[in-house]
Amino acid sequence: MALDPSLPVLVVDDYKTMIRIIRNLLKQLGFANVDEASDGTAALNMMREKDYGLIISDWNMEPMTGYELLREVRADDRLSRTPFIMVTAESKTDNVIAAKKAGVNNYIVKPFNAATLKSKIDAIFGDAS
Amino acid sequence: MTEVGGKKARRKPDDDSACCCNTHSVTAEITLLLNTLRELAAIRSTAEDAAARILDSAEGLLALADKEEAKKAEDAIMSIMTACGFHDLVGQRVTKITENLDRVIATRLTGEEAVAPKTLRRGSDIVLEGPSASPDQARIDALFSKKN
């Protein structure tokens, strides 16, 4: 999968600060088409209206968590191949394994830095950025 | 007077005062907990304001960065921005404490054990722990590099 910086990215987090941080990091990496949602339900609705090339989502949100969003996405024929990165404070081994089994492409534990986000995006898109 | 074993028993004066003291003690305890909750809400609000102001400044600096020094400036500014993630982690920890205190207050008021905090119930069968004391990206990466 080649990285196209014009591809739309959806950032999902219930903390506006975190959305702003990720949006700025993505901008520095060349992504200009970034949308945001504050929970899984809002994100899923947006994904059904627009094609996103990458989802970057927190886990702990209400009413729909990032994990539930991931499962919904992977169960939807049209959305199931969308790359999905979890960015979360949850680092318990069982939870990381559950996310991996649910089909997450990569997992970033908070706090993180720009290099980590870039390396995970590069890993998904074959180091093409 | 209280019914004890089918007989009317007179409560000793000391019992009345103990009950009264106990009521005062519970009231004082709950007041203390409510004040603590107010302080936690203030911490969350202060952290959010601080993070927003730091991000405003960092975004402003990024726009002003001189071309020659731009790369160095960008790296430093991005580092400031990512550090603002403290607001998210502070918020999650405060939420956890707030929910625990809510639970203690509910238990003290009703005498029954309150339900588990929301953060623990989110995600159906998965128990969320929130921020770790020692987050380790390398350990996560190792889990991801394993097959299955």
Side-chain angles (χ1 to χ4, degrees):
Chain A
M1 203 181 312
L3 176 64
D4 173 7
S6 71
L7 59 81
V9 180
L10 180 59
V11 180
V12 194
D13 202 302
D14 54 350
Y15 275 83
K16 283 197 179 302
T17 305
M18 189 49 67
I19 285 186
R20 211 168 146 186
I21 290 167
I22 296 174
R23 189 186 267 283
N24 275 297
L25 292 174
L26 289 171
K27 192 175 166 190
Q28 292 309 111
L29 295 175
F31 294 93
N33 192 352
V34 180
D35 289 339
E36 59 190 68
S38 61
D39 87 293
T41 307
L44 200 56
N45 289 336
M46 291 172 74
M47 291 182 76
R48 287 183 171 144
E49 295 292 319
K50 178 174 171 179
D51 289 329
Y52 287 97
L54 175 64
I55 307 300
I56 298 176
S57 177
D58 183 24
W59 185 319
N60 195 350
M61 299 174 289
E62 287 189 278
M64 186 191 283
T65 68
Y67 176 73
E68 289 163 331
L69 171 65
L70 171 65
R71 291 178 60 145
E72 290 281 344
V73 167
R74 292 294 177 249
D76 185 312
D77 284 346
R78 198 180 68 78
L79 306 175
S80 64
R81 291 170 60 87
T82 311
F84 196 116
I85 298 177
M86 195 77 87
V87 180
T88 173
E90 292 296 328
S91 63
K92 194 168 81 168
T93 301
D94 288 351
N95 291 353
V96 178
I97 291 170
K100 187 182 173 188
K101 282 184 176 166
V104 80
N105 295 84
N106 229 317
Y107 196 107
I108 297 173
V109 65
K110 295 174 183 173
F112 64 99
N113 57 32
T116 302
L117 180 64
K118 184 177 185 308
S119 73
K120 302 308 172 198
I121 293 175
D122 285 348
I124 289 175
F125 293 99
D127 223 352
S129 65
Chain B
M1 275 201 278
T2 321
E3 287 283 340
V4 178
K7 292 179 184 173
K8 288 199 173 183
R10 185 175 295 277
R11 193 187 284 146
K12 290 178 188 171
D14 280 358
D15 290 341
D16 284 340
S17 66
C19 176
C20 182
C21 281
N22 194 35
T23 307
H24 280 303
S25 159
V26 171
T27 306
E29 196 177 57
I30 288 173
T31 303
L32 186 66
L33 289 169
L34 290 173
N35 287 338
T36 306
L37 286 175
R38 269 193 286 274
E39 290 301 322
L40 288 171
I43 287 172
R44 190 157 37 194
S45 170
T46 304
E48 183 174 5
D49 288 348
R53 277 187 282 116
I54 294 167
L55 283 170
D56 283 343
S57 303
E59 284 170 359
L61 281 173
L62 205 54
L64 290 173
D66 177 72
K67 278 182 185 169
E68 285 179 21
E69 294 295 321
K71 184 68 186 116
K72 259 193 270 178
E74 264 180 36
D75 289 347
I77 294 164
M78 295 321 290
S79 178
I80 292 170
M81 284 183 174
T82 51
C84 287
F86 78 88
H87 166 232
D88 181 350
L89 299 175
V90 165
Q92 288 194 49
R93 287 187 190 282
V94 168
T95 298
K96 230 169 139 177
I97 297 167
T98 303
E99 288 180 353
N100 284 337
L101 290 176
D102 280 341
R103 200 176 174 194
V104 171
I105 291 171
T107 303
R108 294 295 284 169
L109 285 173
T110 65
E112 291 171 13
E113 195 171 339
V115 293
K118 277 191 290 184
T119 44
L120 294 182
R121 286 184 279 122
R122 274 174 214 155
S124 58
D125 53 330
I126 290 183
V127 176
L128 300 181
E129 288 192 333
S132 156
S134 51
D136 184 355
Q137 184 67 46
R139 185 178 59 79
I140 308 284
D141 291 344
L143 286 171
F144 264 77
S145 65
K146 278 186 192 167
K147 287 193 174 177
N148 299 318

